[in-house]
Amino acid sequence: MTVTPANPRTTAANPRTTTAKPRIQIFEVSTLYGAATLAAAIDAGRFGPAADVRRILLVSNNAAIPETALRMETMTGYDRIITRFDEVIDWNEAIQPHHPATWSPRTEEAPLWQRVFRTAWDLGDAPVELIVESIQVNPAKALAFVFAESTVQVYADGLMSYGPTREELPQSIACRIGRLLHLDLVPGLRPLLLSEYGVEPELVPDDAFRGVLAEIAEAAEGDRTLAEAVAAEPTALLLGQYLAALDILTADEEEELHIRMMRGAAAAGHTSVIFKPHPTAPARYSTALNEAAEEAGVRLTVLDGPLLAETFYERCRPRLVVGCFSTAMVTASVYYGVPIARVGTDTVLERLKPVENSNRVPLTVVDHIVPDLETGAGPAVPGAGPETLTPLVRAVGHCMQPKLYPLLRDETARFLDSHRGDADMARYFDAERLTQLSLPGGGGPAPRVGASSRLRRSLIRAGRG
């Protein structure tokens, strides 16, 4: 297992100068955006002073085929981020030949694995604190099993923090979670994630995150790809998500979605446009978009380097950012004041399966608060959501995970009942699921609002509610 010194005070000749510290914090991360979130939280003092703790950045590449995916250390700004940590450890290498998304130790093997990692990483017998993303799945869940006595903190680096927990957590993990750190991407909206366990959300300060983004952008000085993009004097940026990889759209449909974004920007008067494809998107996406841009008389520049979209916002403030439901859209609005618009959310709402799909809440939020570029509505900086946003998100969350959030049933029923006949609201909910749950909008009898929580829990456990 390779342990790479990250902090200047920890040298290659003496990589263990910090092992005498009484506490160890292990920060698990899989994206540079997530690492930037952690860096901002550290800078803001959310994890205490650096003097009395040894910090390890545990990097996990969760791509389906990690060997062919973009590695985090190749991303612009990575070298700036890791200065907050004493060393960097490659999780993929630590558990090879297993895949980070699927490997978890057997219950009886967990103590053995902890001894293996404590020896390999020179942790000694110091107490370990875990700071992880997506605690419902591996590798975060695997780490929580291995370090079974460790406290756990969860951080969320995108819109998914506003949605429900993906599945019920083992009580042995749930009882150890101290807080949920998240960015204030939708001011006024409180995360639903982990709320059923009484976990309190805590904001990562805007100025701290903005400072880290500026630091990453500074690291892009001299980047040829970025310089070419800025030289094109674009006024709009299109964000690709590669929804085909999630089996939400076909590759052809996603290709057409990008073309619709470009045409919408052109119709709004933008003649120089940047397209930032998803890092795993096929090259043909850019080819088809180039052909459509030429037909529309739009100058198209593809920004396909190892850069965060936020680095482009920092260097070249566009007047419009267009996407489907990417977190990077909301970042542009919240942290840079750039007007945003959406394209294709209606199609994705129809296609998104199953009901429990974790993308449902991010999609709902963006669809509800961001203008649709194709309807002629002008782009906007949404700010705080409308009064309907919080009850809508809570209702969608209950329908996604009724067993985890039975106490939201009554308010969900009231919300749905108050919006009967409202087609705009109805499209956020699956009619079949509403029928299964005997909620307004489904095909069953009207629910009796106000039933006792105990009865509701009994019905749900029996599979009847």
Side-chain angles (χ1 to χ4, degrees):
M1 300 180 193
T2 302
V3 180
T4 306
N7 196 303
R9 68 188 178 194
T10 306
T11 66
N14 186 20
R16 292 296 187 269
T17 58
T18 57
T19 53
K21 293 184 178 180
R23 292 186 300 124
I24 294 170
Q25 293 175 333
I26 297 178
F27 296 79
E28 176 261 326
V29 66
S30 64
T31 67
L32 187 64
Y33 191 94
T37 303
L38 289 175
I42 289 172
D43 291 351
R46 294 298 190 263
F47 293 104
D52 60 355
V53 66
R54 176 179 163 204
R55 290 176 175 149
I56 297 173
L57 185 67
L58 187 66
V59 178
S60 175
N61 187 334
N62 301 335
I65 308 177
E67 294 78 9
T68 63
L70 184 69
R71 295 180 64 86
M72 194 188 306
E73 62 263 31
T74 67
M75 294 285 289
T76 301
Y78 170 82
D79 57 338
R80 304 293 184 93
I81 295 295
I82 63 173
T83 59
R84 277 84 173 175
F85 304 92
D86 294 295
E87 59 227 44
V88 179
I89 295 176
D90 187 321
W91 178 244
N92 294 58
E93 182 180 335
I95 65 168
Q96 65 179 342
H98 304 286
H99 192 285
T102 58
W103 182 80
S104 187
R106 296 175 182 173
T107 302
E108 64 273 16
E109 294 177 344
L112 175 62
W113 277 104
Q114 181 175 158
R115 287 198 293 273
V116 168
F117 292 141
R118 281 186 175 275
T119 299
W121 302 342
D122 197 21
L123 306 182
D125 58 359
V128 170
E129 302 170 15
L130 297 176
I131 300 92
V132 300
E133 59 182 349
S134 301
I135 185 62
Q136 315 96 305
V137 296
N138 297 319
K141 201 171 184 179
L143 282 166
F145 279 133
V146 169
F147 293 94
E149 72 288 349
S150 296
T151 59
V152 179
Q153 299 177 56
V154 177
Y155 72 95
D157 61 358
L159 292 170
M160 283 190 183
S161 65
Y162 298 111
T165 310
R166 195 176 308 181
E167 59 186 38
E168 186 172 4
L169 294 174
Q171 186 58 31
S172 61
I173 292 178
C175 67
R176 292 151 51 200
I177 302 175
R179 60 178 173 174
L180 169 68
L181 284 158
H182 71 102
L183 299 170
D184 196 15
L185 296 172
V186 186
L189 184 60
R190 184 181 175 89
L192 195 55
L193 181 66
L194 299 174
S195 62
E196 70 273 31
Y197 301 110
V199 177
E200 286 295 317
E202 183 177 327
L203 288 174
V204 176
D206 288 351
D207 56 350
F209 187 61
R210 188 70 166 72
V212 172
L213 294 179
E215 190 177 340
I216 292 174
E218 183 180 327
E221 186 69 42
D223 184 278
R224 181 182 58 80
T225 304
L226 181 60
E228 290 176 355
V230 172
E233 299 182 346
T235 57
L237 174 71
L238 316 180
L239 292 166
Q241 282 181 256
Y242 198 20
L243 301 176
L246 303 176
D247 294 324
I248 296 174
L249 300 177
T250 66
D252 288 342
E253 288 170 334
E254 183 156 31
E255 188 174 69
E256 179 60 27
L257 178 63
H258 297 154
I259 292 172
R260 287 167 58 189
M261 292 179 187
M262 187 277 300
R263 288 174 177 159
H270 298 273
T271 57
S272 182
V273 172
I274 293 287
F275 175 59
K276 187 168 192 325
H278 189 279
T280 59
R284 73 182 183 91
Y285 278 10
S286 300
T287 303
L289 196 59
N290 263 307
E291 294 172 355
E294 189 173 330
E295 291 176 6
V298 170
R299 180 181 183 181
L300 178 69
T301 305
V302 177
L303 186 65
D304 58 358
L307 300 163
L308 288 179
E310 290 74 16
T311 296
F312 179 78
Y313 304 154
E314 191 80 34
R315 289 304 184 88
C316 181
R317 301 293 173 85
R319 298 202 302 268
L320 169 67
V321 171
V322 185
C324 189
F325 62 98
S326 169
T327 292
M329 290 172 60
V330 185
T331 306
S333 171
V334 171
Y335 296 104
Y336 296 90
V338 177
I340 59 177
R342 59 181 168 87
V343 170
T345 52
D346 49 352
T347 301
V348 180
L349 277 168
E350 293 173 0
R351 299 289 185 83
L352 197 61
K353 301 294 180 184
V355 174
E356 299 85 358
N357 192 305
S358 296
N359 290 294
R360 188 169 300 281
V361 164
L363 178 61
T364 297
V365 169
V366 170
D367 184 89
H368 196 59
I369 69 174
V370 179
D372 186 342
L373 188 63
E374 294 181 305
T375 63
V381 178
E387 291 183 0
T388 51
L389 181 61
T390 291
L392 170 62
V393 167
R394 289 169 66 84
V396 169
H398 171 73
C399 292
M400 289 172 65
Q401 299 290 350
K403 293 183 179 180
L404 297 183
Y405 302 89
L407 299 181
L408 296 184
R409 179 179 172 84
D410 282 355
E411 67 177 87
T412 298
R414 286 192 295 270
F415 178 80
L416 291 168
D417 194 48
S418 68
H419 289 281
R420 283 184 186 271
D422 185 341
D424 284 340
M425 283 295 183
R427 63 202 185 92
Y428 297 123
F429 299 90
D430 181 84
E432 184 177 347
R433 175 57 62 91
L434 295 180
T435 299
Q436 293 171 351
L437 300 177
S438 297
L439 287 169
R448 180 168 64 88
V449 177
S452 73
S453 299
R454 183 177 301 173
L455 175 60
R456 285 199 305 277
R457 290 195 186 95
S458 298
L459 290 173
I460 289 169
R461 292 194 190 100
R464 295 168 53 196

